[in-house]
Amino acid sequence: VSNFFEGRRHEPFHNDITHQVRCWADELIHSSYHSIGGDVQQQIAHTRQTTMADSSVIPLSETSIPNTDSDNDSSIVWIGLSISFAGTFFSALGLSLQRLSHKQNNELPLSQQKPAWRQGLNVLGILALVFGGLFALTSYGMAPGTILACMGAMTLVVNMILAPLLCGEVILLRDIWVNGIVILGTIIAVVFGPHRESEFTESELMALFETVRFVIYFSCLSIFVCTMLFLWLTLYNIDRPKTWCGSWCCFSKWTPLTRSRLLRITYPVLAGTIGGNTSVYAKAFVELCQTTVEESDNQFVYGGTYFIMFITIISAFLQLAFLNYGLKRFEALFVVPVYQCCFMISAVMGSMFYFNEVEQLSAPQIGMFSLGVCVSSFGILLHSTRREASFDDALGDLSGLDSLKLKVADDDEEEDISFHCEPILNESNTTAGAVLHDTMNG
């Protein structure tokens, strides 16, 4: 009996039911071994000594049986986390190279400037982003989505390291301790998060869409996304906001600065919330590919596989659209941290409710994991309060300025733009430089 179960020990298990049966089998071995007579125990001990030379026979411990499957699963998870960090590094490297390429190109005379596709550093940056995406997809099949989502916060940390090396940006002491908070939260979340990865078939993944927990989660998610879409559609034109259902939701009574700040939030929140769920659906698709390759069970003959592929592509498109439009209209120092925070929280919740990864955690682990996510999110949001010192220094104190005249270059033409600052300055308690910054970007 012991040799039979020990021989079966190295076969992988893919669900909690099989794992429970294996635990019962281990208990049966122990109880059977210790309940037999002493003569039979001596005979078993003699048999063990004579078969130790055979490497295929694993000796049965009289006190405990090591769970090699759990050890293997944990090793695979940590490999997946390492691959995820490599993807984070390449993504941050690609963004830094693109930023450096655009910076160098803008410093050239207008006649010597090149389009983006002819800039060598920009092309390298795109390739780095592609490699980062491939590493991220690979990690989806090796580790739970909850802890992989927390690893995404390390993008800001890697960017802080690369920014001064490649782009010559100045790193302040505040940036160091803010990133320290992000690292601390990520470590807590990864250590106490789920560490067991499972494989799924198409029928199992489609059944997860019908569970009560996912229906409740998706209903709350839909209400939140629809609310943010309502604000985005209403405030898209800051000067002329739309009026819905009478005056109770009329935003025209608000100041342009207030409407601009509210609109500025909708872009990264929508991109991050949709993007976090994109990672959940992408992980499901990777699981199907993994089952097809490793188990020789073709999952592409089922319609559910293409449904998961479809929602992954649609959500990815919406994610990139809102993120790019947000970066086009507002400053990246605010959009990127808020986007990253919403992405992480959405991906964690999506994995918890869809894959039911919370079932792997005890109550203390859930508390510590939630603490790590909150600490990491707090550190990410602190990044959004950082402003470029060069802009504030250039503006100086504009509190006594009634109007401002700017010269704006648009391709080969220049145009003088004049506007009055006094109404905005009188209605705000912030500094004139911050108000002007938001007004120009809005």
Side-chain angles (χ1 to χ4, degrees), residues 94-95 97-102 104 115-129:
L95 293 175
L97 289 175
Q98 286 184 309
R99 191 161 62 246
L100 176 61
S101 177
H102 294 315
Q104 292 179 350
W117 61 273
R118 292 183 56 190
Q119 301 174 25
L121 288 177
N122 184 62
V123 175
L124 288 178
I126 294 176
L127 292 177
L129 289 174

Side-chain angles (χ1 to χ4, degrees), residues 354-377:
Y354 181 68
F355 292 107
N356 198 24
E357 294 178 354
V358 70
E359 191 178 34
Q360 304 180 27
L361 305 179
S362 61
Q365 286 178 310
I366 293 176
M368 292 301 297
F369 176 77
S370 302
L371 176 63
V373 173
C374 292
V375 171
S376 184
S377 300

Side-chain angles (χ1 to χ4, degrees), residues 141-361:
M142 305 178 69
T146 48
I147 55 178
L148 289 177
C150 297
M151 288 295 295
M154 297 299 293
T155 302
L156 299 175
V157 179
V158 177
N159 183 71
M160 184 198 69
I161 299 175
L162 296 177
L165 297 177
L166 297 178
C167 303
E169 298 181 3
V170 178
I171 300 300
L172 306 176
L173 179 62
R174 177 185 180 279
D175 299 326
I176 297 177
W177 65 261
V178 166
N179 281 279
I181 295 176
V182 175
I183 295 174
L184 176 62
T186 303
I187 292 175
I188 295 175
V190 169
V191 170
F192 291 95
H195 285 186
R196 190 171 73 244
E197 174 68 356
S198 302
E199 295 181 2
F200 299 90
T201 61
E202 180 269 347
S203 59
E204 293 171 340
L205 289 175
M206 294 304 295
L208 293 177
F209 285 106
E210 302 176 2
T211 57
V212 176
R213 62 176 184 274
F214 182 78
V215 171
I216 296 176
Y217 162 74
F218 189 77
S219 300
C220 298
L221 176 68
S222 300
I223 294 174
F224 177 75
V225 171
C226 289
T227 302
M228 299 305 298
L229 284 174
F230 168 77
L231 293 175
W232 174 70
L233 290 172
T234 304
L235 301 174
Y236 184 80
N237 189 343
I238 299 177
D239 296 329
R240 296 180 179 178
K242 292 184 178 180
T243 302
W244 306 89
C245 302
S247 59
W248 64 272
C249 57
C250 180
F251 293 93
S252 59
K253 299 178 182 179
W254 295 7
T255 63
L257 179 61
T258 303
R259 295 196 296 264
S260 174
R261 287 176 173 174
L262 185 58
L263 178 64
R264 183 177 65 170
I265 296 176
T266 61
Y267 283 101
V269 170
L270 282 171
T273 303
I274 297 174
N277 286 273
T278 302
S279 67
V280 176
Y281 306 140
K283 177 176 171 58
F285 181 74
V286 171
E287 293 289 348
L288 292 174
C289 295
Q290 189 173 1
T291 301
T292 300
V293 175
E294 295 183 359
E295 303 296 328
S296 299
D297 185 7
N298 187 9
Q299 301 297 305
F300 288 86
V301 297
Y302 306 108
T305 301
Y306 297 96
F307 170 75
I308 295 176
M309 183 190 304
F310 174 76
I311 60 177
T312 301
I313 295 174
I314 294 298
S315 56
F317 172 79
L318 294 175
Q319 168 195 354
L320 293 176
F322 280 110
L323 180 59
N324 287 331
Y325 279 114
L327 291 173
K328 183 179 180 180
R329 298 190 65 174
F330 301 101
E331 64 273 21
L333 286 175
F334 176 84
V335 172
V336 174
V338 175
Y339 160 78
Q340 193 67 51
C341 180
C342 294
F343 181 96
M344 182 179 67
I345 295 176
S346 178
V348 168
M349 295 184 65
S351 298
M352 286 289 188
F353 284 95
Y354 181 68
F355 292 107
N356 198 24
E357 294 178 354
V358 70
E359 191 178 34
Q360 304 180 27
L361 305 179

